[in-house]
């Protein structure tokens, strides 16, 4: 293994393992948190941070050609659309739950 | 241990870890008390499958499969939007049919 290969492997392994750690912690948070609006925090971390780190790690491994550009485009797409999706889940839960005051504090604007 | 062998081992470990955590999210989707919990678990499974497709495509050296992951990301976003719209309409119809709020059971 030449020097360039070692640098590439270490950098990609760092990003990949950090991303996998974040995904594992998000799964643990899904089980341990209390209410849906708290579990959305865990889902959002999984979406944006976990996927970004793992995809950057894979993009470093396949750096030649257009695949890395496509992976960055995928990261941008995930960052733009998944927060909207989790916001819609929270909105659907708040609008249809009649016993919201039991779970969390409601402030009327 | 050459460079290619080390890369294959790392990607295999990543793929196995992702599939184990996706299976745990599936267990939560079956167990979760309400509908919104199941939708949250489904989005997490969708994101993990997107990342898994990319990792497997790097493992078998077929780089054109990243487009499949892209299409799956678009489809999962569309699915979540449709799920939440359906959930809102369904629950509001149910509450209108059940009468006033004080007699309604917890949804």
């Amino acid at each position: 293994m030449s020097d360039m290969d070692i640098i590439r492997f270490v950098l990609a392994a760092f990003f990949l393992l950090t991303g996998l750690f974040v995904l594992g912690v998000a799964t643990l948070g899904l089980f341990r948190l209390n209410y849906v609006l708290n579990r959305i925090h865990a889902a959002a971390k999984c979406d944006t941070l976990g996927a970004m780190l793992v995809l950057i790690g894979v993009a470093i491994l396949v750096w030649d050609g257009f695949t890395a550009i496509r992976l960055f485009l995928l990261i941008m797409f995930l960052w733009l659309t998944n927060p909207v999706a989790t916001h819609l889940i929270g909105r659907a839960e708040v609008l249809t739950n009649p016993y919201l005051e039991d779970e969390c504090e409601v402030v009327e604007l | 241990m050459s460079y290619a062998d080390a890369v294959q081992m790392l990607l295999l470990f990543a793929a196995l870890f992702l599939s184990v955590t996706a299976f745990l999210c599936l267990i939560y989707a079956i167990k979760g008390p309400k509908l919104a919990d199941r939708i949250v678990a489904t989005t997490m499974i969708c994101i993990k499958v997107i990342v898994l497709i990319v990792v497997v495509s790097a493992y078998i050296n077929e780089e054109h499969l990243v487009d499949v992951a892209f299409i799956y990301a678009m489809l999962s976003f569309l699915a979540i939007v449709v799920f939440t719209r359906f959930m809102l309409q369904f629950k509001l119809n149910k509450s209108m049919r059940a009468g006033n709020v004080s007699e309604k059971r917890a949804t």
Side-chain angles (χ1 to χ4, degrees):
Chain A
M1 285 165 63
S2 64
D3 279 342
M4 197 63 201
D5 282 346
I6 290 178
I7 291 176
R8 228 165 117 176
F9 181 73
V10 165
L11 209 55
F14 169 72
F15 277 113
L16 211 56
L17 292 176
T18 312
L20 290 180
F21 175 71
V22 169
L23 285 177
V25 166
T27 305
L28 183 66
L30 185 65
F31 275 91
R32 293 276 299 176
L33 292 171
N34 269 336
Y35 181 49
V36 179
L37 298 179
N38 293 335
R39 282 182 203 115
I40 286 177
H41 283 293
K45 304 299 173 293
C46 163
D47 283 354
T48 53
L49 189 62
M52 179 180 88
L53 288 173
V54 174
L55 290 177
I56 286 179
V58 173
I60 289 174
L61 285 178
V62 288
W63 190 249
D64 311 318
F66 281 109
T67 306
I69 298 178
R70 271 184 253 174
L71 286 174
F72 289 134
L73 196 61
L74 179 62
I75 292 172
M76 290 300 302
F77 185 79
L78 285 177
W79 270 63
L80 283 177
T81 60
N82 278 301
V84 173
T86 49
H87 167 75
L88 284 176
I89 296 174
R91 184 169 166 260
E93 167 66 24
V94 163
L95 286 179
T96 63
N97 191 2
Y99 302 110
L100 197 56
E101 286 87 20
D102 297 342
E103 311 275 1
C104 60
E105 194 180 306
V106 177
V107 175
E108 300 286 337
L109 285 175
Chain B
M1 166 112 38
S2 69
Y3 174 69
D5 286 344
V7 163
Q8 300 274 74
M9 223 169 63
L10 182 67
L11 289 173
L12 183 64
F13 170 71
L16 285 176
F17 188 83
L18 278 171
S19 48
V20 164
T21 54
F23 187 68
L24 289 175
C25 283
L26 179 65
I27 289 178
Y28 187 75
I30 295 172
K31 162 189 167 252
K34 295 166 87 168
L35 178 58
D37 299 310
R38 296 186 168 104
I39 297 180
V40 169
T42 307
T43 56
M44 286 182 75
I45 291 176
C46 287
I47 305 302
K48 287 179 174 134
V49 167
I50 292 166
V51 175
L52 187 62
I53 289 175
V54 170
V55 167
V56 167
S57 87
Y59 181 73
I60 62 178
N61 293 321
E62 300 271 343
E63 291 184 357
H64 54 90
L65 295 178
V66 173
D67 304 334
V68 174
F70 207 89
I71 304 258
Y72 195 76
M74 292 192 230
L75 283 178
S76 79
F77 172 62
L78 187 63
I80 297 301
V81 169
V82 169
F83 268 141
T84 51
R85 256 178 109 101
F86 171 72
M87 175 184 162
L88 265 177
Q89 267 183 349
F90 182 72
K91 300 262 173 149
L92 287 176
N93 283 345
K94 197 165 92 163
S95 76
M96 277 186 344
R97 263 185 277 129
N100 54 0
V101 179
S102 61
E103 287 174 348
K104 184 173 39 158
R105 294 169 153 271
T107 55

